[in-house]
């Protein structure tokens, strides 16, 4: 049997060796780390996806600290309530897995 919690935690920590992005950073790391941390803490898959969705939504109000959004004026992104595209993509992928 696969230890999904251990695998996800290991993968997230490996990702952290390649990026300085940590939540909240307005990157795909926001929902990804929320999902992994929630799942590893014992939440079921659907609850972990909910945590990821919330984190993706919250990127609308976060100053970019890494990634491509760091090159765009943050006040305009916040004013227009634009979520980070990478974060939104992670959210949509995870939500699609729930519906399968």
């Amino acid at each position: 049997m696969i230890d999904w919690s251990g695998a996800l935690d290991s993968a997230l920590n490996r990702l952290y060796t390649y990026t300085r992005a940590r939540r909240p950073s307005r990157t795909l790391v926001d929902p990804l780390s929320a999902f992994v941390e929630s799942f590893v803490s014992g939440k079921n898959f659907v609850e972990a996806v909910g945590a990821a969705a919330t984190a993706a939504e919250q990127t609308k109000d976060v100053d970019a600290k890494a990634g491509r959004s760091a090159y765009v004026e943050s006040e305009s992104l916040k004013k227009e309530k634009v979520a980070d595209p990478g974060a939104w993509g992670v959210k949509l992928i995870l939500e699609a897995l729930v519906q399968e």
Side-chain angles (χ1 to χ4, degrees):
M1 179 176 250
I2 297 174
D3 173 18
W4 285 107
S5 292
L8 289 169
D9 193 45
S10 177
L12 182 62
N13 285 312
R14 174 61 77 179
L15 176 65
Y16 285 158
T17 67
Y18 296 102
T19 181
R20 63 187 173 95
R22 301 292 186 279
R23 189 170 51 158
S25 62
R26 191 176 170 81
T27 67
L28 65 84
V29 168
D30 292 78
L32 186 61
S33 64
F35 170 77
V36 172
E37 291 165 9
S38 185
F39 192 78
V40 168
S41 75
K43 303 285 187 201
N44 68 38
F45 188 80
V46 173
E47 291 170 321
V49 170
T54 298
E57 286 283 347
Q58 290 171 341
T59 64
K60 294 176 181 179
D61 300 314
V62 173
D63 287 328
K65 296 180 181 107
R68 286 172 274 182
S69 290
Y71 299 106
V72 180
E73 184 200 354
S74 66
E75 285 309 310
S76 123
L77 292 172
K78 280 193 205 173
K79 179 180 167 192
E80 296 180 30
K81 295 288 188 186
V82 176
D84 179 75
W88 205 255
V90 169
K91 170 194 175 297
L92 293 177
I93 290 167
L94 291 170
E95 288 176 340
L97 291 173
V98 168
Q99 296 189 13
E100 285 301 311

